[in-house]
Amino acid sequence: MNSKRNTFALRVGIGHDLHRLRPGGPLRLGGVDIPHDRQTIGHSDGDVLLHAVIDALLGAAALGDIGQMFPDTDPQNRGRDSAEMLVAALDAVRTLGWNIVNIDCIVFLQRPKLLPHRQAIRHRLAEILQIEVERVGLQAKTGEGLDAIGREQAVAAQCVALIQAGECENLK
Ligand code: MG
């Protein structure tokens, strides 16, 4: 990358994911195991929030998507820790000279309330991404009892990521 030309270069990316729920627990969200009576169904560990973050980062760097980087036809990805996948995606983004400015995420979940777990998830995301927790936003919405999310058949997540060429100043 031409560092002079791209000194102030910014890119934004968006990620979205949805997983079905089944009886059981715990519910893994953002790399945190939340005590619950339902869990996601997925080829990997089914962490819908980390998958949305991966796609937002890959999208911002125009590196494709999670399905391209970690095909669900690859036995190596079965039951895989999504934090590992996020680190690999982050490495690919950083290799091109990009660093994360911030991410903002929304989890769509009828139950349980996410508020008691919000700080733990933000800190875990910051730890995996190696950024300050102030750069990690996390919101939660229910399905208002409607659709697959409202009926507790699914959980979804969205993420927006902003990346910058070169080092980011500490915002604190
Ligand atoms: Mg997924």
Side-chain angles (χ1 to χ4, degrees):
M1 182 180 298
N2 182 323
S3 60
K4 189 168 184 183
R5 190 184 65 201
N6 289 309
T7 297
F8 300 107
L10 294 167
R11 296 285 188 275
V12 66
I14 186 167
H16 175 91
D17 196 24
L18 179 145
H19 280 251
R20 284 183 290 145
L21 290 167
R22 66 180 169 203
L27 178 62
R28 180 168 291 195
L29 269 180
V32 174
D33 282 330
I34 295 172
H36 191 41
D37 55 10
R38 285 171 199 249
Q39 60 187 185
T40 54
I41 302 170
H43 185 74
S44 65
D45 65 3
D47 193 323
V48 69
L49 177 53
L50 292 193
H51 294 179
V53 174
I54 290 170
D55 270 349
L57 290 175
L58 293 178
L63 282 171
D65 62 24
I66 189 171
Q68 194 178 335
M69 188 173 255
F70 306 101
D72 63 8
T73 50
D74 185 345
Q76 275 201 338
N77 296 327
R78 179 169 292 282
R80 192 165 181 180
D81 181 353
S82 295
E84 245 182 58
M85 296 157 68
L86 178 51
V87 167
L90 179 63
D91 282 349
V93 169
R94 280 190 167 160
T95 297
L96 292 179
W98 298 108
N99 285 293
I100 298 170
V101 177
N102 75 304
I103 65 166
D104 191 21
C105 310
I106 310 176
V107 173
F108 300 85
L109 178 69
Q110 188 65 34
R111 237 179 14 102
K113 289 272 182 219
L114 216 57
L115 188 59
H117 309 285
R118 185 196 300 226
Q119 293 306 86
I121 294 173
R122 287 180 66 223
H123 280 273
R124 179 65 182 136
L125 282 171
E127 181 183 49
I128 299 167
L129 296 171
Q130 299 162 42
I131 57 178
E132 301 95 347
V133 71
E134 289 79 10
R135 297 176 189 263
V136 179
L138 180 62
Q139 311 171 41
K141 302 283 176 200
T142 71
E144 292 285 341
L146 303 169
D147 70 27
I149 289 160
R151 291 191 297 271
E152 300 185 44
Q153 295 168 339
V155 53
Q158 294 177 347
C159 177
V160 172
L162 185 68
I163 59 174
Q164 172 183 309
E167 290 301 318
C168 298
E169 275 183 41
N170 193 328
L171 300 177
K172 278 193 270 190

